Amino acid sequence: VAWQYAGWPPSSSQIIAISVTDGTFKVLNTLEGQVLTTMRLSPDGRYLAYDVPPDSQSSAHDIFLLRIDSGSVTALIEHPANDYPLDWTPDGSGILFASDRAGDWGAWLIPISNGKAQGNPRLVKSNVGQIRPLGLSGKGAFYYGVGGWTYDVYTVDVDFVAGKVLGPPTLAVQRFLGSNKGGSYSLDGQRFVYASRRTPGPKSATAVVVCVRDLRTGRETELSPDLNWFDPPLWSPDGRSNQFRSGDSS
C-alpha cells in the first residue's frame, strides 16, 4: 500500500495498492486537499489505518480506517487533538496511536472489533515525543524512531560485476550535517551534485540549495533556485544541467 500525490501541498492524493508480482495498482481511496502522514496495515490485511485532517479548516489530524476490499472509510479517532497511528497490536484487536491530547505526545491504545472502536482509549505511555513508528514485534514490543528529519550523503565503492560492496560507506559531505540529501555524479565523473537544506531560507523558514562540487579541485558552488523545495537533483546526460522535481508553496 502506498500514497501518491502531485505537488505540495497536494490538492488531491490517492491511497493505492501495488501488486509486487506485476506492478499493477488499484486506487483504494482519493483524498481531496488532505495531507496524510502515517499508514498502518492490519495484521490480517483487511484494514488500513491512516491519519488526515477531518476537513479543510482543521490542522489537527484524526485517524480513519479504510476497508481494503470495499474501499469504505470510517472514523476511528475523532478528537480536537492531533492523532496518528503507530501500529496495530499483533492480534489485530487494537491500535496503538500517538496523541497530544494530554498536553504532550503520548502513546494510547484503542480496542477494535470488526473495524470499529470499542470503548475509550487508554494512555500506555506519556511524554514519548513525536515518534516515528517502526513496528510491533509478535511479542508486543514496539519499535520507533525519534528526532527530526535528518539526511546525510554517503558514498561507497561497489564491484557491480561481482555484486559486492568493497568497503564501508564514507560521509561525502562534511558541512551542514543532517541537512544534505541526494547525490549524483556527472557522467565524466568530475562533478558531484547534491541538495542541502538551509535555515533560515530566503523565502521561508527553511529552503534548499543546490551544491555542485568540482572533484578535481574540491571547490563547491551553491545555487539557490527561487523555490521553497525540490527533490535531490540529477545530472542531465550531457552534463550541462541538473533536473529535479520542484514546487513553490508560497
Side-chain angles (χ1 to χ4, degrees):
V1 179
W3 178 48
Q4 66 172 358
Y5 61 88
W8 190 267
S11 58
S12 179
S13 56
Q14 295 175 322
I15 299 173
I16 61 176
I18 305 173
S19 169
V20 297
T21 56
D22 58 13
T24 58
F25 69 89
K26 174 185 177 182
V27 176
L28 301 178
N29 193 24
T30 299
L31 306 173
E32 300 295 342
Q34 295 170 298
V35 178
L36 182 153
T37 60
T38 309
M39 298 188 300
R40 308 304 286 182
L41 192 63
S42 64
D44 60 10
R46 296 176 59 200
Y47 297 98
L48 181 75
Y50 65 93
D51 66 287
V52 291
D55 54 61
S56 60
Q57 305 301 317
S58 177
S59 60
H61 283 218
D62 287 338
I63 300 176
F64 297 83
L65 280 188
L66 168 67
R67 183 160 177 160
I68 300 297
D69 58 0
S70 66
S72 62
V73 176
T74 58
L76 180 70
I77 301 293
E78 295 180 287
H79 195 276
N82 260 308
D83 303 288
Y84 63 94
L86 295 174
D87 212 345
W88 294 75
T89 58
D91 61 2
S93 65
I95 286 182
L96 188 69
F97 68 96
S99 177
D100 61 359
R101 64 186 61 198
D104 57 48
W105 284 101
W108 297 71
L109 182 67
I110 181 72
I112 296 176
S113 178
N114 294 321
K116 296 181 179 180
Q118 304 296 310
N120 296 317
R122 66 177 178 88
L123 179 64
V124 176
K125 186 173 177 56
S126 62
N127 197 26
V128 297
Q130 199 165 358
I131 57 179
R132 299 184 200 171
L134 299 179
L136 267 164
S137 72
K139 295 183 178 180
F142 177 63
Y143 293 85
Y144 61 91
V146 297
W149 292 95
T150 60
Y151 305 89
D152 281 306
V153 180
Y154 291 83
T155 59
V156 65
D157 292 327
V158 179
D159 184 337
F160 289 103
V161 176
K164 294 182 179 180
V165 177
L166 303 180
T170 301
L171 190 64
V173 183
Q174 303 289 336
R175 301 172 64 238
F176 298 99
L177 295 180
S179 299
N180 307 303
K181 63 179 179 177
S184 176
Y185 285 94
S186 59
L187 291 183
D188 60 12
Q190 295 182 354
R191 287 171 295 172
F192 180 75
V193 64
Y194 64 94
S196 186
R197 189 171 65 244
R198 297 288 189 268
T199 303
K203 296 184 66 180
S204 61
T206 303
V208 183
V209 299
V210 176
C211 300
V212 183
R213 180 185 301 173
D214 189 323
L215 298 177
R216 296 163 296 183
T217 65
R219 181 178 179 181
E220 285 196 356
T221 301
E222 292 189 358
L223 307 174
S224 300
D226 190 22
L227 297 166
N228 278 341
W229 68 270
F230 50 83
D231 285 344
L234 296 172
W235 284 105
S236 62
D238 61 8
R240 300 177 61 184
S241 62
N242 281 283
Q243 303 168 347
F244 46 82
R245 187 173 67 93
S246 65
D248 189 349
S249 60
S250 61

